[in-house]
Amino acid sequence: LYVERNKSSRARDYATGHREELRMNAKDLLINMYQDSQRDCRQSVLDLIQRQTDAVYLDCGCDDGRFTSEVAHKLGTDAVYGIEIGEYSADLARERGVQVYSSDLNAGYPFDDCTLDVVSANQVIEHVSDTDNFVREIFRVLKPGGYGVISTNNLACWHNIAALIAGYQPFPSDVSGEAGIGKALALFHGEAGSLSHLRIFTYPALKGLLQHHNFIVETTVGVGYYPFPAVLGNRLARIDKRHSAYLTAKVRKPR
C-alpha cells in the first residue's frame, strides 16, 4: 500500500510539474510575441510618419522620450513636445530634448488651437478614461491638414477571442489595478497598477471614434497575428487587420 501511494504521489507531482512547465513555456512564448509586436507596432507608427523638417510635433504619453526621439528624427524636426503624467519618465524625456508638459491626457492639452503639425500616441489611448476628450483635443491642437498617428491593442484579436471562449478575461482588459486577475496568463503580474487598460478598441470602434470627432481616417494597419511569428504574423495582420494584435491608424484634420 505504501509503495502504491508513493507511485500515485509521484505521478501527481509529475503531472503537476508537467502542467506548470507547459504553462511557463506558453507564458514565455506569449511574452516573446508581445515584445516582437511592440517593436513592430512602433515601426508601424514610424512608417506612417512623413519627413517634415519644420513640423511642430507632440507625443501624447511620451514616457521617457526614447520613441518620441525616433519619431522626431524621422520627421527631421527639433520642435518636439510631449505630455507625460509620470514625473520620473518626464524628466528622462527632458534629458532627451523633449519639451514635456506634466499633464493628464484626460484634461485639456496645454496648446493653442491649430498649432501642431503632427501628433502621435503609441499604446496610450487604452489607458485614458475620457477617450472622447483625448481625440477631440488632438483634433483641436492640430493645424488644418495636420495629422495624427494612433496605435492601440485590438480587443478582437484571435488570442482575446480564444481567452473569452475559454471563459477568461481578454489579455489587455484589466479588472484590477493591482494584479492580472481573471486571465489565463497574467504576463506581467504586479505591473497592472501602472499599466491598466481602461478602454479597449476593435477596428470598427477605433475608426468610428476617430471619424466621430471629424478626422479623416487615411489608413489603418494591423500589427501582429498571434500565434504566428512576427514576419508571417504581420503579413496576416495586413490581410485581416480586424483580428490583428494591434491597430495603428493615421488620421488627418480636414483643411
Side-chain angles (χ1 to χ4, degrees):
L1 182 61
Y2 175 78
V3 171
E4 289 302 317
R5 284 178 176 173
N6 254 352
K7 287 181 179 178
S8 177
S9 176
R10 285 197 301 271
R12 284 196 302 271
D13 289 345
Y14 174 79
T16 300
H18 186 60
R19 284 195 299 270
E20 180 63 18
E21 183 180 0
L22 288 174
R23 190 184 72 83
M24 292 305 297
N25 287 341
K27 184 174 180 177
D28 289 343
L29 177 63
L30 285 173
I31 288 174
N32 288 334
M33 285 181 168
Y34 167 81
Q35 291 170 341
D36 287 343
S37 294
Q38 288 287 296
R39 179 200 64 217
D40 293 339
C41 199
R42 290 191 294 270
Q43 187 59 51
S44 75
V45 173
L46 288 171
D47 289 344
L48 295 174
I49 296 293
Q50 303 160 277
R51 187 165 181 81
Q52 186 179 348
T53 56
D54 62 346
V56 182
Y57 162 55
L58 168 66
D59 188 11
C60 296
C62 66
D63 193 43
D64 62 6
R66 190 184 305 272
F67 185 60
T68 313
S69 300
E70 290 185 43
V71 176
H73 179 73
K74 178 76 181 287
L75 281 165
T77 184
D78 295 322
V80 185
Y81 296 87
I83 297 176
E84 174 56 48
I85 197 169
E87 279 298 333
Y88 178 72
S89 295
D91 287 341
L92 292 176
R94 291 185 184 105
E95 291 176 6
R96 290 189 166 94
V98 182
Q99 301 178 63
V100 183
Y101 291 92
S102 297
S103 182
D104 186 347
L105 290 169
N106 290 296
Y109 296 178
F111 295 92
D112 293 334
D113 295 356
C114 305
T115 52
L116 305 177
D117 297 287
V118 181
V119 176
S120 69
N122 180 43
Q123 306 295 300
V124 171
I125 191 172
E126 63 270 19
H127 301 283
V128 177
S129 59
D130 192 347
T131 48
D132 287 296
N133 176 76
F134 179 80
V135 178
R136 188 183 295 118
E137 281 295 283
I138 292 175
F139 187 91
R140 179 185 67 79
V141 300
L142 277 172
K143 297 175 183 176
Y147 68 93
V149 181
I150 298 169
S151 67
T152 188
N153 304 82
N154 182 8
L155 179 60
C157 63
W158 288 119
H159 59 286
N160 286 335
I161 292 171
L164 284 166
I165 290 172
Y168 290 102
Q169 196 76 4
F171 285 91
S173 177
D174 297 306
V175 298
S176 169
E178 298 177 1
I181 294 170
K183 300 181 182 181
L185 287 171
L187 298 185
F188 303 102
H189 180 71
E191 297 182 5
S194 62
L195 297 175
S196 294
H197 295 152
L198 304 178
R199 299 213 175 175
I200 315 300
F201 292 82
T202 60
Y203 167 74
L206 179 62
K207 185 176 180 180
L209 180 69
L210 296 168
Q211 290 174 330
H212 174 71
H213 291 289
N214 302 311
F215 273 114
I216 299 167
V217 180
E218 289 191 342
T219 187
T220 54
V221 178
V223 179
Y225 205 85
Y226 300 167
F228 297 98
V231 175
L232 177 58
N234 284 326
R235 289 177 181 172
L236 292 170
R238 294 313 195 261
I239 298 169
D240 180 24
K241 70 182 75 172
R242 286 172 178 263
H243 296 104
S244 61
Y246 296 93
L247 299 164
T248 301
K250 182 176 183 178
V251 297
R252 194 172 297 275
K253 183 173 181 176
R255 294 186 181 276

